[in-house]
Amino acid sequence: MPIATPAFRIFIVEDNEWYGQLLAYRLNQNPDYTVTRFASAQECLSQLAQKPDLISLDYGLPDMAGDEVFRRIKVQLPDVAVVVISAQEDVRTAISLLRQGAYDYLVKDEDTPDRLWHVAGNVQRQVTLRRENEQLRQQLGQATDPRRTLLGCSPQMQQLQGLIEKAGRTNISVSLTGETGTGKELVAKAIHALSERRTGAFVAVNVAAIPRELLESELFGHEKGAFTGAVSRRVGRFEEAHQGTLFLDEIADLDFSLQSKLLRALQEREVYRVGGNSAIRFDARLIVATHHDLAERVRQGAFREDLFYRLLGLPIALPPLRERGDDVLLLAEAFLRDFAARNNLAVHSFSPAACLKLQQYAFPGNVRELKAVVELGAVLAEGDTIEPADLQLRSTSPAASPDTPAPLRAQVASIVQRCLDANQGNILQAAAQLCIGKSTLYRMLQNKEVYIK
């Protein structure tokens, strides 16, 4: 059962009632925030046992000096993010507080509520990441071996398990290759869980999913005012992965102009935020993945050769599902058990004919396609058993060659269309069953890859 996500708790310490209400009103526009206002330092200090995630602190409170309030907060809650808000633009005070651990220093003006809103969003993202990693550590602590999340008994999977174990013993970079849907991120998480960095963060970035003009900021962070819309400082993914693991998926799609910056960061073990002049050291283990032939990209001149060798490290190739024999049935049963339990469905098995249909299909979309097919089959099943008619496959012919199926994009669109039809065009339900974001469905609708009848 998933662990409930705690509310993101914010304290506003402001003696001006009108201004405190203004800040609270802006922040309360996010339903995930729980905002509490205090008119004095003493009121705030007496409630620190609630363990807020973010404190907006007026530096000019009447009952206690701002630096003293800040010091007492940090003594009790050293990890809380404190944003100091002052009516005076005192550079020396700002620098002093930032050196002592303040998250940010804002000057009161008409834009302050919006700037605080953006800062809160950044802090929430970091807090959520920390909580997710803590949940992951708890789950891993309950498991005897994190590799058990990678199901399969085929020789190919046994070989893969051995390589994962070897990767976990060292800090060597790892490059994962394999067709789309083979589980590259799952392998990366298993390596992280077996390594000495398991107590650190696992930070995943899909390079292909982020617009080129935003990717540099995503990876390295940016300083306040670095570009239009940069209303506050943002910590990059390299910094978030400090003492943990950074997973860069679809690395072959990295823009050529950013490849040199990534190479320098890996060589020097430091990054510069966009708009910043100070080097920020990091200590993170790097795992990259791609479904492309990266060596071929180098030969084509689309990928830097020096970066290729820097990333190569321990190469691990993930086998496609069509080469894993009876693993397809083992995975299908696991997906069915999980989906039925989460959705209170009575279906719990496959008929012999359905098993044969699964074994004869080539699954060009690999494990991800199998999961979608099984879950849709569970929805379509009339009784407690999935029958062949419930398995919506493109073709029931053996199709042994990987070149014979239609392009993967068409396969994915076909699965998504069937799921949309089964849910009468309900975007949210279809996205939940397919385990994809609703924005992906909207984009496919906009591109006319699928449609709502």
Side-chain angles (χ1 to χ4, degrees):
M1 180 177 295
I3 301 174
T5 302
F8 184 73
R9 190 178 298 276
I10 302 175
F11 281 7
I12 295 176
V13 190
E14 172 62 58
D15 64 315
N16 184 314
E17 182 177 358
W18 175 85
Y19 198 75
Q21 289 178 347
L22 178 64
L23 296 179
Y25 172 79
R26 183 68 175 96
L27 293 174
N28 274 318
Q29 290 176 332
N30 188 325
D32 295 332
Y33 295 167
T34 298
V35 182
T36 306
R37 291 194 301 112
F38 301 98
S40 69
Q42 292 293 351
E43 289 179 9
C44 171
L45 294 173
S46 67
Q47 297 299 317
L48 290 181
Q50 296 184 36
K51 295 184 178 180
D53 301 295
L54 172 65
I55 297 178
S56 168
L57 176 63
D58 180 11
Y59 194 70
L61 295 170
D63 62 330
M64 190 178 299
D67 53 354
E68 176 63 16
V69 184
F70 176 80
R71 186 189 66 80
R72 293 193 185 188
I73 289 173
K74 280 297 186 178
V75 167
Q76 294 190 49
L77 299 175
D79 293 331
V80 69
V82 180
V83 177
V84 179
I85 298 180
S86 174
Q88 302 296 324
E89 189 172 357
D90 188 335
V91 176
R92 288 175 299 179
T93 301
I95 292 175
S96 175
L97 289 168
L98 291 171
R99 285 176 175 172
Q100 294 176 59
Y103 188 87
D104 209 340
Y105 184 94
L106 305 179
V107 178
K108 283 185 180 179
D109 57 30
E110 65 274 11
D111 295 326
T112 302
D114 287 334
R115 292 203 298 271
L116 182 59
W117 166 270
H118 287 290
V119 171
N122 289 337
V123 175
Q124 184 192 31
R125 185 165 64 91
Q126 295 168 24
V127 169
T128 299
L129 180 66
R130 186 167 65 244
R131 287 173 177 169
E132 288 176 349
N133 278 282
E134 180 59 31
Q135 291 177 13
L136 178 61
R137 286 194 291 269
Q138 292 174 0
Q139 293 167 3
L140 291 173
Q142 296 170 0
T144 56
D145 189 342
R147 292 167 296 176
R148 290 185 178 179
T149 58
L150 295 164
L151 299 177
C153 299
S154 62
Q156 293 90 336
M157 287 303 292
Q158 292 178 15
Q159 182 181 18
L160 175 62
Q161 296 280 11
L163 290 173
I164 291 173
E165 184 175 345
K166 290 180 179 179
R169 295 173 188 159
T170 70
N171 283 316
I172 188 173
S173 297
V174 177
S175 54
L176 304 174
T177 56
E179 297 176 8
T180 299
T182 50
K184 294 184 283 293
E185 183 168 351
L186 200 60
V187 171
K189 288 180 177 179
I191 294 172
H192 171 75
L194 288 172
S195 73
E196 62 181 14
R197 296 176 179 270
R198 65 179 68 91
T199 58
F202 177 87
V203 180
V205 181
N206 188 321
V207 172
I210 301 173
R212 179 180 58 83
E213 61 272 13
L214 300 179
L215 185 57
E216 183 176 1
S217 171
E218 184 76 16
L219 292 177
F220 306 134
H222 65 249
E223 296 291 351
K224 177 181 176 182
F227 49 82
T228 302
V231 296
S232 62
R233 178 200 301 158
R234 178 176 181 178
V235 172
R237 296 310 185 105
F238 273 88
E239 292 179 73
E240 289 179 356
H242 181 64
Q243 297 185 337
T245 300
L246 178 62
F247 174 58
L248 300 181
D249 198 6
E250 302 297 353
I251 190 66
D253 294 323
L254 183 66
D255 187 76
F256 201 83
S257 63
L258 279 179
Q259 291 178 23
S260 59
K261 295 183 179 181
L262 176 59
L263 177 62
R264 186 196 179 284
L266 297 177
Q267 288 175 335
E268 304 298 329
R269 310 304 293 180
E270 64 184 24
V271 297
Y272 288 83
R273 296 193 188 113
V274 177
N277 297 316
S278 301
I280 301 168
R281 302 288 296 177
F282 71 90
D283 174 23
R285 199 250 188 91
L286 186 67
I287 301 178
V288 299
T290 179
H291 68 279
H292 294 290
D293 184 341
L294 207 54
E296 179 61 26
R297 288 294 183 97
V298 172
R299 286 191 289 271
Q300 294 171 354
F303 202 87
R304 293 178 61 112
E305 184 175 18
D306 46 4
L307 179 58
F308 169 74
Y309 288 113
R310 172 68 64 173
L311 297 175
L312 186 61
L314 173 62
I316 299 179
L318 277 65
L321 185 56
R322 60 181 174 273
E323 296 178 1
R324 292 173 53 182
D326 289 339
D327 280 357
V328 65
L329 298 182
L330 181 67
L331 288 164
E333 291 171 357
F335 292 149
L336 178 58
R337 285 195 303 270
D338 178 66
F339 185 76
R342 286 188 288 111
N343 292 275
N344 297 317
L345 297 178
V347 59
H348 57 73
S349 62
F350 298 87
S351 70
C355 290
L356 181 61
K357 186 175 182 178
L358 290 174
Q359 288 177 305
Q360 290 181 332
Y361 184 59
F363 283 103
N366 292 293
V367 178
R368 186 177 296 141
E369 181 184 6
L370 172 63
K371 186 173 186 291
V373 167
V374 169
E375 293 182 351
L376 179 57
V379 173
L380 298 177
E382 295 294 339
D384 60 4
T385 301
I386 292 180
E387 299 292 343
D390 303 321
L391 298 173
Q392 303 295 301
L393 304 177
R394 184 191 62 85
S395 171
T396 56
S397 58
S401 171
D403 296 324
T404 55
L408 179 58
R409 191 77 182 176
Q411 291 284 329
V412 173
S414 176
I415 294 172
V416 171
Q417 184 64 63
R418 288 194 293 267
C419 191
L420 277 172
D421 294 343
N423 286 278
Q424 291 78 48
N426 189 307
I427 297 291
L428 295 179
Q429 290 182 11
Q433 289 179 9
L434 293 168
C435 296
I436 62 176
K438 61 180 182 296
S439 60
T440 300
L441 289 183
Y442 285 125
R443 185 168 59 252
M444 293 181 74
L445 286 166
Q446 184 179 13
N447 294 337
K448 297 182 179 180
E449 297 175 81
V450 296
Y451 57 92
I452 295 177
K453 295 180 179 179

